Amino acid sequence: MTKKIVVVGGGAAGAQFCASMIDSKEDVQLVLVGSEPHLPYQRPPLSKTYLKDPSPGPALLRAASFYSDNHATLRLSSTVKRLNLQGKNVELDSGESITYDMLVLATGTHARTLPLLTGDYANVFTLRTLDDAVRLREQMQVAQNVLIIGGGFIGLELAATSVQLGKAVTLLEAAPRLLGRSSSPEVSAYLLNKHRTTGVDIRLQTVVDRIDASNGIVDGVWVGSQRLPVDVIVVGIGAVPNDALAREAGLECANGIVVDEFMRTSDPSVLAIGDCTAFPSSTLGYRIRLESVQNANDQARCAARTVLGKPEPYTALPWFWSDQGTVRIQIAGVPGQEHKRVVRGDPAQDKFSVLYFDGDVLTAVESINSTADHIAARKLIVAGAGIPLERAMNPAVPLKEVLSSVA
């Protein structure tokens, strides 16, 4: 009997789940419901190449024929308004109801907003979707003064892109340092200096106090007694999991949709994957939520195995990257607060890594322009073996040699 699977969400997680099910050659009927009008596409380029390329286009994850040739139905420009867990169906904004045998929630996140800038202002943006990027790109072409609020990855990527486009860029961060929740003080300090040397006016522990706006346009913001003229404002202060549907349906949620190690929610017929999930970390021993392409794809593969009756616990090593101008940051693992932190290499040379240790076991790495370090460190983290800190810290000793000594 053909199993009908409804996937809610057209991002990386939803698309990968469909691909994994198609690759399995099992007899399933797939229906992917996405609120955007576009085929599933890659989102990382939106803050970088999409804004800079002369003739950009969406970087599709797979062609339309991939879905049609494999009998997967795409319901684009459709929003799920309600989940009926008892009746096993989802209700669309059109009024249509779609039944399912299994439901996969890949609902992602939405951008956190600032109350001061939540009016209908034509030049105030968040960047989550292709349509956001299209609108932002149009205005960036004529803008001179760009204000970015938030010193996270999106804000810093946009700052680097804006400088490359010849804009005057100011970035405001309310916290004492950049990337305060996601990177080490060493990486934060390096990026602060690097972006400032390229011309970005970064102001830490600074917020917008009030704005000047007329005719739906913000033309200035006030920081204390100083007025900053603006043409474009981008708010990048984090994201909130899209778990409202799940909550309203009665699924367990806590900073995201709660799942077990097999991506199963509190309802046995419903799974959840990607940025919207709060899942048990096999390394940390408690529940976390991650926003990364790797996590979305690996959780999708894990969920597919669960649906196929071949469940395996989700134990994938988290990894993430960010391109900021000439700087590439690569991160692997999730360190505990008590883990020891050591620096390998010299930040002044624009090439170094920060290694995290639990005793003599490597648990996480942050690499700046050091791909070889990153690749070897990922393997060392997975190996979980003790390694000599002195050798690991010595940039004259390639990490792959350290790896070979414990392999």
Side-chain angles (χ1 to χ4, degrees):
M1 182 178 177
T2 302
K3 181 181 292 186
K4 185 175 183 180
I5 305 172
V6 173
V7 182
V8 182
Q16 179 58 56
F17 176 84
C18 290
S20 295
M21 294 303 301
I22 289 170
D23 290 344
S24 75
K25 307 299 182 183
E26 292 292 322
D27 184 16
V28 297
Q29 178 186 357
L30 291 166
V31 180
L32 186 147
V33 182
S35 59
E36 296 184 57
H38 315 289
L39 289 167
Y41 57 88
Q42 297 181 32
R43 296 179 189 270
L46 297 183
S47 60
K48 300 176 280 291
T49 55
Y50 189 87
L51 297 179
K52 295 185 292 183
D53 284 357
S55 301
L60 298 180
L61 292 167
R62 288 167 183 85
S65 58
F66 174 80
Y67 303 98
S68 59
D69 291 350
N70 291 286
H71 310 292
T73 301
L74 298 182
R75 299 297 302 271
L76 305 180
S77 300
S78 298
T79 302
V80 174
K81 303 299 290 185
R82 193 170 81 90
L83 309 179
N84 181 355
L85 303 184
Q86 290 70 36
K88 285 194 167 185
N89 64 71
V90 301
E91 297 179 12
L92 305 185
D93 52 351
S94 64
E96 180 184 358
S97 177
I98 304 176
T99 60
Y100 63 82
D101 296 305
M102 294 293 295
L103 176 65
V104 179
L105 300 177
T107 49
T109 61
H110 61 274
R112 196 181 301 277
T113 57
L114 279 176
L116 195 62
L117 292 166
T118 52
D120 189 17
Y121 301 117
N123 64 331
V124 176
F125 299 87
T126 56
L127 184 59
R128 304 298 297 176
T129 68
L130 177 59
D131 290 343
D132 291 338
V134 169
R135 292 175 46 247
L136 177 58
R137 185 177 185 278
E138 290 174 353
Q139 292 206 24
M140 287 284 280
Q141 290 178 332
V142 297
Q144 289 301 314
N145 298 301
V146 175
L147 174 66
I148 297 169
I149 300 176
F153 286 112
I154 287 291
L156 293 173
E157 290 174 0
L158 283 169
T161 299
S162 300
V163 166
Q164 291 174 330
L165 290 170
K167 312 303 178 183
V169 184
T170 302
L171 186 148
L172 308 182
E173 168 56 54
R177 65 181 178 94
L178 302 174
L179 298 174
R181 293 173 296 168
S182 52
S183 74
S184 63
E186 291 82 4
V187 168
S188 295
Y190 169 81
L191 291 174
L192 176 65
N193 178 68
K194 193 67 177 177
H195 283 283
R196 280 177 170 170
T197 59
T198 66
V200 183
D201 178 6
I202 297 180
R203 308 186 186 191
L204 302 177
Q205 295 182 282
T206 303
V207 298
V208 174
D209 296 304
R210 57 192 175 95
I211 64 173
D212 289 339
S214 61
N215 300 319
I217 298 290
V218 178
D219 56 22
V221 302
W222 290 84
V223 176
S225 60
Q226 183 184 14
R227 184 183 188 275
L228 304 176
V230 296
D231 300 310
V232 165
I233 301 175
V234 185
V235 179
I237 55 172
V240 181
N242 289 327
D243 59 7
L245 277 175
R247 287 181 182 276
E248 292 165 5
L251 295 174
E252 182 182 358
C253 295
N255 185 32
I257 304 170
V258 172
V259 296
D260 65 11
E261 65 270 34
F262 304 106
M263 301 297 108
R264 298 177 300 203
T265 71
S266 53
D267 183 304
S269 297
V270 183
L271 288 80
I273 53 178
D275 295 4
C276 65
T277 63
F279 66 95
S281 167
S282 60
T283 55
L284 295 177
Y286 53 83
R287 198 172 296 280
I288 63 174
R289 188 175 67 82
L290 293 177
E291 297 169 18
S292 79
V293 174
Q294 166 274 324
N295 183 65
N297 287 334
D298 284 339
Q299 286 195 352
R301 295 184 183 99
C302 178
R305 290 191 293 268
T306 298
V307 171
L308 293 168
K310 305 172 184 177
E312 296 179 14
Y314 181 68
T315 58
L317 175 69
W319 56 269
F320 176 83
W321 79 96
S322 174
D323 291 325
Q324 301 174 20
T326 60
V327 177
R328 164 155 279 209
I329 306 164
Q330 293 169 288
I331 299 173
V334 181
Q337 292 184 348
E338 73 283 2
H339 292 179
K340 181 179 180 180
R341 193 175 68 246
V342 298
V343 177
R344 170 186 167 86
D346 183 5
Q349 301 300 315
D350 293 323
K351 187 175 182 180
F352 69 101
S353 294
V354 178
L355 308 176
Y356 291 81
F357 286 90
D358 183 6
D360 62 355
V361 175
L362 185 65
T363 59
V365 61
E366 301 165 348
S367 296
I368 302 293
N369 298 329
S370 303
T371 299
D373 272 6
H374 175 74
I375 293 172
R378 278 170 57 174
K379 294 176 181 178
L380 283 166
I381 294 169
V382 171
I387 59 177
L389 267 66
E390 297 77 14
R391 293 194 73 204
M393 291 172 57
N394 185 356
V397 179
L399 274 184
K400 64 181 180 180
E401 290 187 11
V402 179
L403 175 64
S404 65
S405 68
V406 300

